[in-house]
Amino acid sequence: MSRAFADISFTPSVKAAQSLYGSREANRGFEQVEEKRDSLLAQDMEFIAARDSFYQATISENGWPYVQHRGGPAGFLKILDNKTIAYADFSGNAQYLSVGNLFASDRVSLILMDYARRRRMKIWGHAKIVHEEDDVRLIARLEMPGYRARVERAIVITVEAVEWNCPQHITPRFSETEVQGLLAKLLAEKHQLEEQLTQKTAPAKPTSLGNGPLELIITGVRQLSPRIRAYELRDPAGKDLPAVSAGAHLRVPVLLADGQAATRPYSISSAGGQTDCYEIAVLAEPGGRGGSMAVHDLYALGMHLHCDFPRNDFALHAHIEHAAPAVLIAGGIGITAIKPMAAQLSAQGRPYTLHYAGHTLNTMAYRTELQMQLGASLHLYAADQQQRMDIHSIMKEAGQDSLFYICGPASMIAAALNAAAALGIDPQRVRFERFAVQKSNQDEEIRVELARSKKVIHVRADQTILQAVRAHGVVAQAECETGNCGTCAVKLLGGQALHRDAVLTEAERKDRICICVSRAQEGELVLDL
Ligand code: FES
């Protein structure tokens, strides 16, 4: 206990009480201690600077004390020097109880609490009210950054006594910030343990997938855009790979999240004719059928993939006049099929232009590479920069003698086919490849009779005929499952087909249907299955 505290607090009536209750002798010693403690020590200042609240008692002229709780950002009670502390008095409820009391008596008593560490500090002092016009620099010094209320006045307290109490009867309490600080370490440890547990329990990633005849090893992985990753594939022994032409695709094995083994076709985006390696680029589609996510999750350097041999359902025209200009149109990930076409046309010295559309320049795979290689032959369209690709104008300008190759979303292909029809362009001069099954919100359930199997099945609106046929145990061949290859085409025995493939000719469409994409015009079909 300090002498200054005893000098102030041990009034005659207090001493009388001490005498009455037998503690006078014990307390008398405090009045003689050497240390006066009427100013702040370093540890006092550190404690004050960390407080975000305190209690302040003032005395009214009728003798009633008034205790006020004051709160603010930590450190709002400022230390001006070792004898002076001060705080800003903001505009409040306009009762002015504490301020009014200071008009009558400048004596204040403060209690500062640290509940978390069970510490309590008491300060006695003389308080002075200072207005802005009296000391503008002081007011500025007491302002709290980010606290927008107006400072009406400063309360400056000259310290007369400092006293610390024992922690007895202080219940530990913690502010939200203190709790967060304590929890942060625990949460970090919990996170670390969870990660260790995940690593221990996660199934080991496969080192080999598939059972196709072409074994390849992943020798390179490149992130082309935030969602597109390219994989370089080579023969494990370094031998040459089967030669492919532009537009070819490779069917690769995937292990879906539900543990099911499947295969997915991806365009070979490396140049046709390149036999030391293939490159495929895969767009991660969280809402897709799971293949692309499985590739992104599991494909890693050194993994062996047993693939099918490449095939090409989207080749450049081989038998049309060599000098016919080619117009290449790509949307999004469709560039993977179009890019090698540009390389092949360049190598053959054939005239072409490439029109490439995407959401933003940064998400357009191979953009920089194409800009460097193709120069003025490349036209980019970034939707976020309001650069719209006008397919009708492009095809009109190119003219009926051009050859057209389109790979992109269904809407892009539909626009190209509509433009070709409107411009009288021979359908034989327009080739396209979809990279997803074309669907329509207007699709309804259809009834399909399988004549040879003697079954009638109902194909839900969200199903393809191929999926429904297989779900009923009927074997049906398929390859691309996007209407590009014709493998799934079956004889149409009855009903009117709604053709959505990119492979059947008009003549073939009279009695054949690609069941991986096409549906019925009037709700019913009879198939030779
Ligand atoms: S499986 Fe290729 S068109 Fe249907």
Side-chain angles (χ1 to χ4, degrees):
M1 199 174 282
S2 71
R3 184 151 57 84
F5 159 70
D7 289 347
I8 290 174
S9 310
F10 290 5
T11 59
S13 56
V14 170
K15 288 178 186 172
Q18 290 170 355
S19 298
L20 179 64
Y21 297 113
S23 66
R24 180 69 200 122
E25 281 315 304
N27 282 307
R28 194 189 303 279
F30 296 122
E31 296 162 32
Q32 277 125 33
V33 291
E34 217 162 276
E35 190 184 13
K36 193 169 182 199
R37 290 294 267 123
D38 60 350
S39 60
L40 300 170
L41 302 178
Q43 64 264 31
D44 303 328
M45 297 185 197
E46 192 181 329
F47 184 81
I48 293 168
R51 303 281 64 78
D52 59 5
S53 69
F54 62 87
Y55 301 93
Q56 173 187 265
T58 51
I59 311 159
S60 63
E61 60 263 66
N62 61 13
W64 285 102
Y66 174 68
V67 180
Q68 183 189 38
H69 174 263
R70 298 199 69 94
F76 78 102
L77 179 58
K78 305 271 186 192
I79 298 142
L80 303 187
D81 57 47
N82 70 344
K83 278 289 287 180
T84 319
I85 54 178
Y87 63 87
D89 194 24
F90 296 99
S91 47
N93 64 6
Q95 290 183 343
Y96 300 111
L97 298 182
S98 296
V99 171
N101 284 348
L102 292 179
F103 289 174
S105 168
D106 67 352
R107 292 174 183 189
V108 293
S109 172
L110 273 54
I111 293 182
L112 286 70
M113 298 297 303
D114 178 355
Y115 290 104
R117 288 160 205 81
R118 302 178 70 208
R119 294 197 296 165
R120 175 173 45 201
M121 179 191 201
K122 294 177 183 173
I123 297 174
W124 286 260
H126 292 283
K128 180 172 69 170
I129 299 169
V130 179
H131 294 103
E132 190 169 13
E133 56 271 26
D134 303 326
D135 191 342
V136 66
R137 291 177 61 173
L138 173 67
I139 298 290
R141 193 172 163 188
L142 299 182
E143 277 179 344
M144 297 303 294
Y147 194 74
R148 300 187 67 83
R150 197 175 75 78
V151 179
E152 284 197 338
R153 64 196 68 77
I155 307 297
V156 181
I157 300 167
T158 303
V159 175
E160 298 298 344
V162 177
E163 174 63 6
W164 286 87
N165 276 122
C166 72
Q168 208 181 4
H169 306 306
I170 301 177
T171 305
R173 291 192 175 87
F174 300 88
S175 69
E176 192 178 347
T177 311
E178 287 163 339
V179 170
Q180 280 171 353
L182 293 169
L183 280 178
K185 188 163 170 279
L186 286 175
L187 289 173
E189 283 173 5
K190 176 175 169 280
H191 181 67
Q192 199 177 10
L193 288 171
E194 281 173 350
E195 281 203 335
Q196 286 170 1
L197 195 62
T198 307
Q199 279 165 11
K200 277 194 179 145
T201 53
K205 288 191 175 183
T207 54
S208 176
L209 283 177
N211 51 19
L214 178 64
E215 183 181 359
L216 300 172
I217 183 169
I218 299 176
T219 52
V221 180
R222 286 194 294 153
Q223 196 74 34
L224 299 181
S225 77
R227 285 176 56 207
I228 301 176
R229 205 172 284 164
Y231 299 89
E232 181 190 81
L233 309 170
R234 293 177 187 268
D235 179 274
K239 293 185 202 149
D240 273 354
L241 301 174
V244 294
S245 55
H249 70 261
L250 183 69
R251 185 164 278 273
V252 298
V254 290
L255 185 62
L256 301 177
D258 62 3
Q260 199 187 326
T263 61
R264 292 287 187 271
Y266 292 105
S267 296
I268 296 175
S269 53
S270 43
Q274 188 175 342
T275 54
D276 59 334
C277 71
Y278 300 146
E279 182 168 274
I280 59 170
V282 181
L283 168 71
E285 294 181 281
R289 293 187 297 149
S292 64
M293 298 311 290
V295 169
H296 275 243
D297 287 346
L298 295 180
Y299 276 23
L301 283 176
M303 179 182 265
H304 288 248
L305 303 175
H306 298 265
C307 310
D308 291 348
F309 284 110
R311 55 177 284 167
N312 198 339
D313 304 315
F314 185 47
L316 292 166
H317 290 82
H319 303 300
I320 297 187
E321 63 277 25
H322 199 69
V327 178
L328 309 176
I329 299 175
I333 192 65
I335 192 63
T336 52
I338 294 292
K339 173 178 163 279
M341 289 183 162
Q344 189 165 321
L345 291 165
S346 280
Q348 293 172 347
R350 290 167 62 181
Y352 71 93
T353 51
L354 195 167
H355 299 265
Y356 178 16
H359 292 301
T360 68
L361 287 177
N362 285 342
T363 57
M364 293 166 73
Y366 299 118
R367 173 180 58 88
T368 312
E369 190 179 323
L370 290 168
Q371 281 175 313
M372 286 194 296
Q373 290 171 0
L374 274 53
S377 299
L378 176 69
H379 303 271
L380 297 174
Y381 306 84
D384 71 328
Q385 296 181 18
Q386 283 72 49
Q387 296 166 339
R388 200 177 69 82
M389 183 194 285
D390 183 346
I391 293 180
H392 188 279
S393 298
I394 290 169
M395 295 180 79
K396 185 176 179 187
E397 203 172 305
Q400 294 183 345
D401 294 335
S402 296
L403 300 168
F404 299 91
Y405 304 90
I406 306 114
C407 187
S411 56
M412 173 178 276
I413 288 165
L417 294 179
N418 289 340
L423 295 167
I425 295 171
D426 179 356
Q428 296 296 320
R429 303 183 83 87
V430 181
R431 286 187 178 174
F432 59 93
E433 184 172 65
R434 293 190 181 95
F435 49 76
V437 176
Q438 184 188 356
K439 287 184 179 161
S440 162
N441 290 339
Q442 266 100 53
D443 284 349
E444 292 178 353
E445 182 175 297
I446 57 173
R447 177 183 181 278
V448 178
E449 190 179 328
L450 308 179
R452 267 190 287 141
S453 310
K454 298 191 176 22
K455 288 187 178 182
V456 172
I457 63 171
H458 293 270
V459 183
R460 293 192 318 265
D462 63 345
Q463 257 183 329
T464 64
I465 299 176
L466 176 67
Q467 288 167 340
V469 163
R470 285 177 168 171
H472 282 79
V474 176
V475 175
Q477 299 300 316
E479 163 66 24
C480 68
E481 297 186 30
T482 49
N484 294 311
C485 70
T487 307
C488 66
V490 297
K491 197 150 191 216
L492 180 64
L493 302 176
Q496 289 231 306
L498 181 63
H499 293 286
R500 287 176 175 166
D501 64 277
V503 63
L504 297 182
T505 63
E506 283 309 309
E508 288 170 328
R509 284 182 169 189
K510 290 202 174 94
D511 63 353
R512 294 183 73 73
I513 176 172
C514 286
I515 59 171
C516 70
V517 287
S518 300
R519 296 183 77 83
Q521 285 201 25
E522 283 163 4
E524 285 197 9
L525 294 174
V526 184
L527 304 180
D528 185 22
L529 266 175

